């Protein structure tokens, strides 16, 4: 989160933060941060499968399928 204070324009920062939330099993915050990474850069491919896995943990099957479509 400290990196966000320096710059909030890099998808990698949100991706890394989301990975931290996944490790803590905080699925909602993980999803929000993966989505922010993709909002900043839709071509940031590493976030798509990870977001889908988090959405599966949240039992949001349709959203997970849409992320991978």
């Amino acid at each position: 989160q400290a990196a966000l204070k320096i710059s909030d324009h890099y998808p990698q920062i949100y991706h890394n933060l989301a990975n931290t939330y996944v490790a803590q099993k905080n699925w909602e915050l993980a999803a929000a941060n993966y989505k922010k990474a993709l909002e900043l850069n839709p071509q940031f491919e590493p976030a798509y499968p990870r977001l889908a896995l988090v959405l599966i943990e949240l039992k949001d099957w349709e959203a997970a399928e849409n992320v991978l479509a």
Side-chain angles (χ1 to χ4, degrees):
Q1 290 179 340
L4 291 175
K5 293 177 183 176
I6 297 169
S7 178
D8 63 353
H9 301 292
Y10 295 104
Q12 184 68 43
I13 295 171
Y14 289 96
H15 186 262
N16 292 346
L17 187 56
N19 290 340
T20 301
Y21 287 128
V22 166
Q24 298 170 355
K25 297 185 179 184
N26 189 333
W27 309 122
E28 292 82 8
L29 286 176
N33 281 277
Y34 286 134
K35 288 176 184 178
K36 181 65 177 179
L38 291 169
E39 178 185 314
L40 290 173
N41 181 358
Q43 282 79 42
F44 189 73
E45 293 182 14
Y48 285 101
R50 293 178 183 256
L51 174 58
L53 289 172
V54 167
L55 292 170
I56 290 168
E57 289 290 342
L58 292 169
K59 298 181 179 18
D60 192 345
W61 320 115
E62 186 176 341
E65 185 176 350
N66 289 337
V67 165
L68 297 175

